[in-house]
């Protein structure tokens, strides 16, 4: 039996622009996804995913190419892609376990994909490099979602805090320990693929305007990259607010996100913004330690849920 775990992620800067060739900054969080895989002697692949209410979903490996429910699609497509790439086949028992709800937008699909591929590479002793793991996991996510920059896949693999450019063209660790972040969940599940497609359409209709916004977001990301290693949180908070203004002009914020963002700033945060696709999911606030309790209380009073997170979590790892 092989057990592998990978962290969730929080996008700090560069949301959406990173889908279109710009950089972003992302950190791995200490909420982990894990996958256990065992070989079987027959040709069955059986998946158990208790958090997704999947119990003994069973197919034969000849059926990997068929349509499957969305809850098991990432695991099964990862297996299919792995079998094809390495020309192997086996019956498997798979069990997934998540420390975070897929509602938060912490990247459960990419984390489960990375865990599945890493566990298979251990089980079949294929010695994949991190880059090979990235390429196959990113292909798997694109096969299913059709869109996405791959930043969540990279975070699940490398962990820490990363500077990342679309499709993994550039993946650089940023040296920083704990980031004084507060995370507020709006209670609304956002559909990333729909929002990404909406921004893509907006880009096709108004290329000059949207490229101009993406260009400004890129400048913010580059400036943040320099400031973050020096822990210039006040400046970074200011840059967060600037990034949020630009996201707002892409029409992907929501009244719930805006509410949690403004109460955080009023309660003493240096800055706050949505994190990820927008439309719902989570917002993040950066605040001096002495203001953390006040900001958290303000988020809860405004109807949000504070999710305790530590940043800079370790990337994918094989568990004992
Ligand atoms: C979604 O969490 C973040 C986006 O930038 C999409 C992506 O980068 O794949 C909106």
């Amino acid at each position: 039996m092989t057990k592998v775990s990978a962290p969730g992620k929080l996008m700090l800067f560069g949301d959406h622009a990173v889908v279109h060739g710009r950089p972003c900054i992302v950190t791995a969080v200490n909420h982990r996804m894990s996958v256990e895989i065992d070989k079987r002697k027959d040709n069955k692949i059986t998946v158990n995913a208790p958090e997704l209410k999947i119990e003994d979903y069973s197919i034969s490996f000849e059926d990997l190419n068929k349509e499957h429910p969305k809850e098991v699609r990432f695991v099964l497509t990862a297996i299919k892609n792995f079998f094809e790439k390495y020309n192997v086949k086996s019956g498997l028992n798979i069990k997934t376990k998540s420390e975070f709800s897929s509602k938060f937008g912490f990247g459960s699909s990419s984390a489960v994909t990375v865990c599945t591929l890493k566990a298979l590479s251990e089980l079949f002793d294929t010695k994949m490099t991190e880059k090979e793991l990235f390429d196959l996991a990113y292909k798997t996510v694109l096969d299913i979602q059709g869109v996405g920059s791959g930043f969540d896949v990279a975070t699940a693999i490398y962990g820490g805090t990363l500077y990342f450019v679309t499709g993994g063209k550039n993946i650089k660790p940023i040296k920083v320990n704990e980031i004084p972040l507060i995370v507020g969940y709006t209670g609304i599940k956002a559909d990333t693929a729909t929002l990404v497609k909406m921004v893509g359409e907006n880009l096709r209709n108004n290329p000059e305007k949207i490229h101009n916004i993406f260009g400004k977001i890129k400048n913010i990301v580059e400036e943040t990259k320099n400031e973050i290693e020096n822990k210039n949180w006040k400046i970074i908070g200011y840059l967060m607010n600037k990034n949020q203004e630009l996201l707002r002009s892409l029409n992907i914020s929501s009244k719930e996100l805006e509410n949690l963002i403004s109460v955080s700033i009023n309660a003493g945060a240096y800055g706050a913004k949505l994190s990820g696709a927008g439309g719902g999911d989570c917002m993040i606030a950066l605040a001096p330690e002495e203001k953390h309790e006040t900001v958290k209380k303000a988020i809860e009073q405004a109807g949000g849920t504070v999710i305790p997170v530590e940043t800079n979590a370790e990337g994918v790892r094989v568990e004992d």
Side-chain angles (χ1 to χ4, degrees):
M1 196 267 283
T2 303
K3 183 174 176 185
V4 168
S5 78
K9 54 76 187 168
L10 274 173
M11 176 80 92
L12 302 180
F13 290 88
D15 327 54
H16 283 284
V18 65
V19 179
H20 303 277
R22 273 65 169 200
C24 74
I25 295 176
V26 57
T27 192
V29 295
N30 62 332
H31 298 237
R32 299 184 81 82
M33 169 70 73
S34 67
V35 173
E36 276 177 35
I37 307 191
D38 234 346
K39 281 188 184 167
R40 294 170 62 113
K41 293 214 163 58
D42 57 13
N43 68 348
K44 292 243 167 322
I45 295 180
T46 301
V47 185
N48 277 285
E51 289 86 10
L52 301 175
K53 307 211 168 10
I54 295 291
E55 208 184 313
D56 288 331
Y57 183 82
S58 197
I59 60 165
S60 87
F61 55 57
E62 283 83 20
D63 292 336
L64 277 169
N65 276 317
K66 296 194 174 150
E67 274 291 303
H68 300 288
K70 66 177 189 314
E71 291 83 355
V72 292
R73 221 170 271 163
F74 287 89
V75 169
L76 294 180
T77 308
I79 295 170
K80 173 173 105 52
N81 284 341
F82 183 90
F83 283 2
E84 280 171 7
K85 180 170 167 71
Y86 293 100
N87 202 15
V88 290
K89 238 186 220 173
S90 169
L92 300 167
N93 284 326
I94 295 140
K95 189 169 176 210
T96 71
K97 189 170 183 310
S98 172
E99 289 171 358
F100 55 91
S101 162
S102 59
K103 285 188 301 198
F104 297 164
F106 279 8
S108 53
S109 310
S110 43
V112 84
T113 303
V114 165
C115 286
T116 303
L117 291 171
K118 178 73 179 171
L120 290 172
S121 113
E122 290 290 312
L123 214 55
F124 290 88
D125 202 19
T126 57
K127 311 229 177 346
M128 280 169 119
T129 63
E130 282 177 329
K131 189 63 173 65
E132 284 166 343
L133 177 57
F134 174 83
D135 289 342
L136 201 56
Y138 185 39
K139 171 187 167 21
T140 303
V141 170
L142 286 185
D143 283 351
I144 298 168
Q145 280 180 186
V147 287
S149 66
F151 82 105
D152 39 6
V153 173
T155 316
I157 295 171
Y158 297 92
T161 297
L162 302 174
Y163 172 89
F164 175 92
V165 181
T166 327
K169 284 192 213 73
N170 192 348
I171 307 175
K172 274 208 186 93
I174 294 179
K175 279 194 228 82
V176 62
N177 292 328
E178 194 51 32
I179 302 167
L181 269 192
I182 297 157
V183 180
Y185 176 55
T186 55
I188 292 161
K189 170 84 197 106
D191 182 15
T192 302
T194 306
L195 286 150
V196 168
K197 284 176 191 155
M198 204 185 87
V199 173
E201 205 172 306
N202 205 349
L203 176 64
R204 272 190 302 283
N205 295 335
N206 307 286
E208 207 174 311
K209 178 179 166 211
I210 305 299
H211 275 304
N212 184 23
I213 296 173
F214 287 165
K216 289 182 178 159
I217 293 178
K218 174 181 188 288
N219 293 342
I220 290 174
V221 170
E222 300 297 347
E223 205 175 332
T224 305
K225 181 168 149 254
N226 297 331
E227 297 297 344
I228 208 165
E229 289 188 359
N230 302 326
K231 302 185 178 178
N232 260 333
W233 303 126
K234 202 167 172 183
I235 295 175
I236 297 166
Y238 168 82
L239 293 168
M240 247 181 189
N241 292 338
K242 288 279 162 212
N243 194 161
Q244 177 60 21
E245 267 173 36
L246 294 162
L247 289 169
R248 215 172 274 143
S249 66
L250 288 175
N251 283 328
I252 46 113
S253 196
S254 71
K255 81 175 186 313
E256 292 81 5
L257 281 164
E258 289 301 328
N259 188 24
L260 300 188
I261 288 166
S262 75
V263 298
S264 302
I265 293 169
N266 291 339
Y270 292 133
K273 64 182 276 295
L274 65 85
S275 170
D281 286 349
C282 289
M283 50 70 69
I284 51 176
L286 195 67
E289 288 300 342
E290 68 276 11
K291 295 280 183 192
H292 270 221
E293 282 318 306
T294 328
V295 173
K296 285 179 187 169
K297 212 175 271 165
I299 290 175
E300 296 273 350
Q301 274 168 2
T305 306
V306 172
I307 304 172
V309 296
E310 282 169 29
T311 59
N312 281 290
E314 192 187 343
V316 68
R317 66 174 180 235
V318 178
E319 303 285 347
D320 295 329

